[in-house]
Amino acid sequence: MTTRPEPEVIDRASWWTTGQVATALGVSPVLLRAWDGRYGLGPARRGPGGQRLYGPRELQRLRRMSALVNQGVRAGTAAGLVLSEAVSPAQSRLLADEIDQAAAAVDLPTLAGLLDDLLAGHGTIAAWVDVLAPVLRRQGERWQAGESAFAAEWALAGAVSAALERQAGRVPLPPPRDRPVLLACCATERHPLPLQVLFTVLREAGIPVVFLGEMVAPGVVVRTAVRLDPALVLLWSMTPYTADAPLLAELARRDVPVRAAGPGWNSVGGRVGPVLDGLRGALRAVSAHTGRAWP
Ligand code: B12
């Protein structure tokens, strides 16, 4: 039996040049080289022609560095913070275990503290990909094996959602001059977390974004899309029985730029177009529709 590689794994094998990173972060290549020389925030490796290549972890660190500097933190202080934040695989496992245990004990204050530290310390993308998604998948496996306590799953999902909300709330709203990205779950879909992660990442990047949440009535999605004239709509389905192909068709019929997102669409077939099934792929789609560079 062949197993399909997980999209996130493929994405994470990508490498970016200095120019691509500079464009994505809105800083100059000269500044990137200065941050490398002064603070060691450099590329992970060199390409065949000697070009500097940044991997996902380096990119994430530079994104944090840039965000901190934009918030007024001095570059030296920001670099110190960022360098002390790198998550090793061993640390990821440790953090994941701590979060798992706090969820199992339904220890909500500890859970909130751990999640706030994780998001602030490692950035939303790394926190999600390296720690939170694995913990949630573990919960799902337990549920499937009939072992899961529902209370733990609710505690975890609720606490992650609340922590993402706090994280997004720390970022100032971008000026409302650009067309927003609109994110909505299909009408029976109750797994909004991946979409909320995307919402948080876009907020952090200063991209106008509206998140309608879970279980959105089709009429609400259509009316909101027509009213907002979004640059892109992502319609989320996590499980096969929630994918709403007629809604997707209705939006397309009204010339709304829309993409199906999430594994639930895979069973619907080619009628819905290529499905976005990874955080990085979704960011690339947003980039293509908003003109905002994102490697
Ligand atoms: C938490 C949770 C819940 C919570 C949700 C609360 C909340 N606020 O989100 C609650 C308790 C409500 C719930 C309910 C149910 N759940 Co549930 N749930 C989960 C759990 C544990 C995590 C969900 C999640 O956020 N996953 C996100 C990440 C961790 O999943 P992932 O596989 O790594 O992500 C993939 C993609 O989403 C993508 N991706 C990751 N991030 C991003 C970001 C973007 C932007 C994009 C585009 C893609 C993307 O990459 C991955 C590879 O494909 C999953 C287990 C799991 N493996 O996901 C089960 C799971 C999804 N649930 C499942 C089921 C069956 C249900 C229920 C039917 C159970 C029930 N009888 O109550 C209901 C259905 C509700 C509904 N109508 O939608 C099954 C679905 C099986 C299937 N494929 O049909 C799962 C897989 C558990 C299992 N192993 O069986 N659930």
Side-chain angles (χ1 to χ4, degrees):
M1 193 183 84
T2 53
T3 46
R4 197 167 60 90
E6 197 198 322
E8 209 57 64
V9 174
I10 297 167
D11 290 345
R12 288 168 66 74
S14 309
W15 297 93
W16 297 291
T17 62
T18 305
Q20 287 171 318
V21 174
T23 310
L25 300 186
V27 300
S28 71
V30 174
L31 184 62
L32 287 181
R33 277 192 281 274
W35 284 350
D36 183 8
R38 282 183 211 146
Y39 312 120
L41 285 167
R45 56 179 245 199
R46 301 265 172 177
Q51 77 270 41
R52 302 147 72 86
L53 293 176
Y54 292 81
R57 199 170 294 281
E58 290 68 43
L59 183 66
Q60 180 60 26
R61 289 202 309 196
L62 286 169
R63 201 182 287 292
R64 280 280 295 149
M65 175 77 184
S66 173
L68 287 167
V69 168
N70 286 342
Q71 284 163 25
V73 179
R74 286 185 44 242
T77 313
L81 279 171
V82 168
L83 286 168
S84 66
E85 286 169 358
V87 215
S88 67
Q91 265 180 309
S92 295
R93 275 195 298 277
L94 204 70
L95 280 163
D97 286 345
E98 278 185 292
I99 290 168
D100 210 14
Q101 280 161 21
V106 196
D107 180 351
L108 300 182
T110 301
L111 205 44
L114 285 169
L115 293 170
D116 281 349
D117 288 351
L118 173 70
L119 287 165
H122 304 297
T124 307
I125 298 179
W128 176 249
V129 173
D130 295 336
V131 181
L132 297 176
V135 179
L136 284 160
R137 281 197 290 268
R138 232 188 275 171
Q139 282 279 351
E141 282 156 20
R142 285 194 206 121
W143 183 85
Q144 214 167 14
E147 294 165 12
S148 181
F150 251 131
E153 191 170 318
W154 278 99
L156 179 62
V160 171
S161 178
L164 287 169
E165 228 169 86
R166 287 193 292 276
Q167 176 78 358
R170 287 185 198 109
V171 185
L173 277 174
R177 55 168 192 265
D178 295 331
R179 293 163 73 200
V181 175
L182 179 62
L183 309 176
C185 288
C186 287
T188 53
E189 182 54 68
R190 288 178 57 203
H191 298 98
L193 286 181
L195 212 52
Q196 196 184 349
V197 170
L198 179 62
F199 168 77
T200 309
V201 173
L202 295 182
R203 277 292 301 275
E204 287 172 328
I207 295 174
V209 54
V210 175
F211 175 44
L212 294 181
E214 65 176 43
M215 299 182 85
V216 191
V220 172
V221 180
V222 172
R223 279 208 60 180
T224 311
V226 168
R227 173 78 183 78
L228 294 183
D229 185 26
L232 178 65
V233 178
L234 291 195
L235 207 50
W236 176 258
S237 165
M238 179 91 198
T239 52
Y241 37 86
T242 64
D244 185 351
L247 172 58
L248 201 77
E250 174 63 14
L251 289 166
R253 194 183 67 76
R254 291 170 182 258
D255 289 329
V256 173
V258 61
R259 293 286 303 268
W265 293 99
N266 291 333
S267 59
V268 178
R271 283 179 295 140
V272 297
V275 175
L276 298 170
D277 198 10
L279 180 55
R280 194 71 66 187
L283 289 170
R284 275 197 293 268
V286 168
S287 172
H289 283 263
T290 58
R292 295 286 299 267
W294 204 296

